[in-house]
């Protein structure tokens, strides 16, 4: 049996149709992009940018829920790509990883894993908002 592991902790087991999406014990956040943003802009400008980004992510998360309710998986894939790109740019590592896992669930048409992973993405967003808020307090 061959064991494959990717950057996003995707593991293949004995069955090709089973994918285990491993979650790390500690949620990930990279403060470096925010540090660069706050160094390049005034505090007010940087805060406005961060607030717009978080608002956009919240809108895309709502879109994912609507896509799930309508079973519009093509829309969900598109929104996951956007979430992943934006999250990576601002250092929300856990959101980026989880959005990638949702894409895997969508491509495999795995509804149960999709719903569980979508819930994980929402928790990752809550964590991200908390981390960004804590970053601002430093």
């Amino acid at each position: 049996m061959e064991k494959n592991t990717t950057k996003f902790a995707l593991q293949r087991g004995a069955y090709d149709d089973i994918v285990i999406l491993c979650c790390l014990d500690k949620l990930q956040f990279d403060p470096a992009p925010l540090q660069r943003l706050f160094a390049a802009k005034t505090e007010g400008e940087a805060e406005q940018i961060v607030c717009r980004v978080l608002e956009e992510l919240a809108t895309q998360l709502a879109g994912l829920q609507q896509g799930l309710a309508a079973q519009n998986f093509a829309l969900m894939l598109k929104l996951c790509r956007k979430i992943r790109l934006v999250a990576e740019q601002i250092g929300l590592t856990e959101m980026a990883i989880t959005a990638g896992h949702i894409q895997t669930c969508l491509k495999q048409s795995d509804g149960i894993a999709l719903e569980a992973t979508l819930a994980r993405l929402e928790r990752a967003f809550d964590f991200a908002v908390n981390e960004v808020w804590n970053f601002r307090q430093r």
Side-chain angles (χ1 to χ4, degrees), residues 8 18 28 44 50-51 56 67 77 82 91 96 120 134:
F8 295 108
I18 296 175
Q28 299 178 58
V50 169
C51 287
E56 179 63 27
L77 276 171
K82 287 181 182 179
R120 192 173 108 223
N134 289 338

Side-chain angles (χ1 to χ4, degrees), residues 5-135:
T5 303
T6 68
K7 175 180 166 186
F8 295 108
L10 177 69
Q11 296 179 348
R12 294 210 178 259
Y15 304 97
D16 287 338
D17 60 343
I18 296 175
V19 176
I20 299 170
L21 302 172
C22 298
C23 305
L24 300 174
D25 292 338
K26 185 175 187 254
L27 297 177
Q28 299 178 58
F29 171 71
D30 179 11
L34 287 178
Q35 290 169 339
R36 286 191 300 271
L37 175 65
F38 276 83
K41 304 281 185 185
T42 67
E43 185 175 342
E45 291 172 331
E47 285 183 2
Q48 285 179 351
I49 291 169
V50 169
C51 287
R52 279 196 308 267
V53 166
L54 291 176
E55 185 178 338
E56 179 63 27
L57 287 171
T59 300
Q60 291 169 353
L61 283 172
L64 282 176
Q65 286 292 350
Q66 292 169 351
L68 180 62
Q71 296 186 352
N72 187 344
F73 303 128
L75 171 66
M76 292 180 75
L77 276 171
K78 181 179 175 183
L79 290 172
C80 280
R81 277 191 294 274
K82 287 181 182 179
I83 289 170
R84 227 173 134 179
L85 289 172
V86 171
E88 286 172 349
Q89 289 175 350
I90 199 155
L92 307 179
T93 310
E94 189 65 29
M95 283 194 72
I97 290 169
T98 307
H101 287 169
I102 289 175
Q103 288 176 306
T104 300
C105 295
L106 287 165
K107 290 173 185 171
Q108 292 186 336
S109 301
D110 188 341
I112 293 172
L114 175 62
E115 290 194 32
T117 309
L118 186 55
R120 192 173 108 223
L121 181 63
E122 291 171 351
R123 287 191 305 275
F125 177 72
D126 291 342
F127 168 78
V129 170
N130 188 50
E131 286 299 309
V132 169
W133 181 259
N134 289 338
F135 177 84

